[in-house]
Amino acid sequence: MPKPEGGSPPVTSRSLEALGLSGILERSLFINGAWRVPAGGRSVDVVDPATEAVIGQLALGSPGDVDEAVRAARAAFAHWSVSAVAERAALLGRVHALILERAELLAQAISLEMGAAINFARASQVPLAAEHVRVARDLLASYPFAREEDGFLVSREPIGVCGLITPWNWPLYQITAKVAPALAAGCTVVLKPSELSPVSALLFARILEEAGLPPGVFNLVNGTGPDVGEAIAAHADVDMISITGSTRAGVQVARAAAATVKRVTQELGGKSPNILLDDADFERVVPLGVASAFRNVGQSCSAPTRMVVPRAALAQVETLAAQAVAFMTVGDPASTDTVLGPVANPAQFARVQEMTEAAIREGAKVIVGGPGRSEGFARGFYVRPTVVSEVTAGMSIAQEEVFGPVLCLMPYDTVEEAIAIANDTPYGLSAHVQSADPQAARQVASRIRAGQVHINHPNWNPLAPFGGYKRSGNGREYGVLGFEEYLETKAIIGATA
């Protein structure tokens, strides 16, 4: 990794004003088709993680704002739930086109608000978010909302008002993964994005407004989890909650929702394994495994941060992993040379330091990186991309989510042991298997308790259902199964000939 000489390298000074977004954080409520300033007068700083400079203050909503948004969504549900499928598909088509038209502005906003390298924001954060909208639109063309069985009709109907809570790490991607299928199903929405990365959410709301969405169908309330998130979850007139976030946040939301017995879907934490079988092409799969673990600076709940490797190949894998990290330039997220920008916020920076230090205390061997700020940076939340080896299942680093560019190498002696290591965490969101023998890889994949298993680093598929076993959550997102989370099932008996 290049080490700049003479202290901090220059980091591009960016601002909302430079993006033409002055004042966007102030009118932070979009309720019943109108932009509003919260009445409470409370705000939170929005910080550029590359410079630690405050780029603006986000005006925070309140439980009262939630109540108003839910009332608007409930009123709009009466007409949106029975709108024509073609109308909803056309609306989503306009949204998709507008996202693509404004892709560069969205990418710049995401890079500014959460530190994503601009090339990554352009290649992944924005286009993959657009894909969720396209998939939801396309599903409407063929989805059977009613089907006849033997003596009865099964009808799939929109569940109602949906409270959607999204995280800071994939701010636009996670919004479209929830909002698009909800709107496609005929539901109305109250969205609470993360207050740590709110700019792209506000831009998305502007897109929905321009696309011609009827008032009240989509509502946006910015605010904190304890104030706005819990108010949405507990609201008696919200029919469903979908949250992506930490397991801790998912538990809190489920508790708040329990009293009203609403549906709760959760996409939560992960500690995903990547099993390298002994016939794998290590020269190929190790660099790909490092890249997958460090994608989005490791801030992905599905990141395969435990590489489970044959003990006889451990030294080779250590060398290959260190070489892969050496090619990952840490730097200014505005630069097209940068692979890894900063992590998104000070709490995440502290978390990476804490977990890396714990790994060393507990006996892990540092191959590259380690605690501390990346070399040459005096400011910004730049962590050192780290690989630790000789990690055992009992170590904190093998059990707890780090959410940063920290990869564990865990040796095994038998395939049975590799599968046991893979399953030995509280999580079960995602997993990877690498092998020259696809059948052997499938056999291993079938025994891993995770909602998605990737064999030999396939391309991302927006139709493949995504969600977790164990403490990684309940329910599924993406594709048909993700769409059906927003539908209720009604049996009408005696309706057929």
Side-chain angles (χ1 to χ4, degrees), residues 63-283:
D65 297 315
V66 170
D67 194 53
E68 190 174 354
V70 172
R71 283 198 301 272
R74 177 56 63 195
F77 181 71
H79 60 83
W80 185 250
S81 61
V82 295
S83 60
V85 165
E87 177 187 349
R88 300 201 296 271
L91 182 282
L92 289 168
R94 294 193 295 274
V95 172
H96 181 252
L98 285 168
I99 291 174
L100 297 181
E101 179 184 307
R102 299 191 186 153
E104 180 61 20
L105 178 61
L106 288 163
Q108 293 286 349
I110 292 168
S111 182
L112 175 62
E113 68 186 352
M114 55 84 58
I118 189 61
N119 277 355
F120 184 76
R122 289 167 175 160
S124 295
Q125 290 269 8
V126 176
L128 300 188
E131 277 295 277
H132 289 310
V133 181
R134 181 194 63 78
V135 166
R137 178 200 65 192
D138 292 352
L139 280 173
L140 284 173
S142 59
Y143 186 79
F145 285 94
R147 71 176 191 274
E148 288 191 7
E149 301 286 349
D150 186 13
F152 61 93
L153 183 74
V154 174
S155 176
R156 304 303 303 274
E157 302 174 353
I159 194 169
V161 176
C162 298
L164 309 179
I165 301 173
T166 57
W168 50 261
N169 58 318
W170 288 83
L172 182 64
Y173 174 96
Q174 288 292 351
I175 287 172
T176 59
K178 297 180 190 299
V179 173
L183 296 181
C187 298
T188 55
V189 165
V190 178
L191 170 68
K192 191 207 92 67
S194 172
E195 68 276 17
L196 300 177
S197 54
V199 182
S200 53
L202 291 163
L203 290 174
F204 177 70
R206 288 183 177 183
I207 284 172
L208 289 179
E209 179 185 28
E210 186 170 333
L213 195 67
V217 173
F218 170 86
N219 305 273
L220 171 68
V221 182
N222 274 292
T224 65
D227 283 343
V228 170
E230 291 192 22
I232 293 173
H235 204 290
D237 222 13
V238 170
D239 301 291
M240 173 188 172
I241 294 290
S242 177
I243 176 174
T244 296
S246 68
T247 299
R248 177 189 56 80
V251 168
Q252 290 173 333
V253 163
R255 285 173 175 161
T260 50
V261 199
K262 55 174 59 72
R263 182 180 299 173
V264 178
T265 66
Q266 305 156 308
E267 192 262 279
L268 307 176
K271 194 69 188 179
S272 301
N274 182 6
I275 297 178
L276 279 56
L277 297 182
D278 59 10
D279 65 345
D281 179 356
F282 297 120
E283 297 275 349

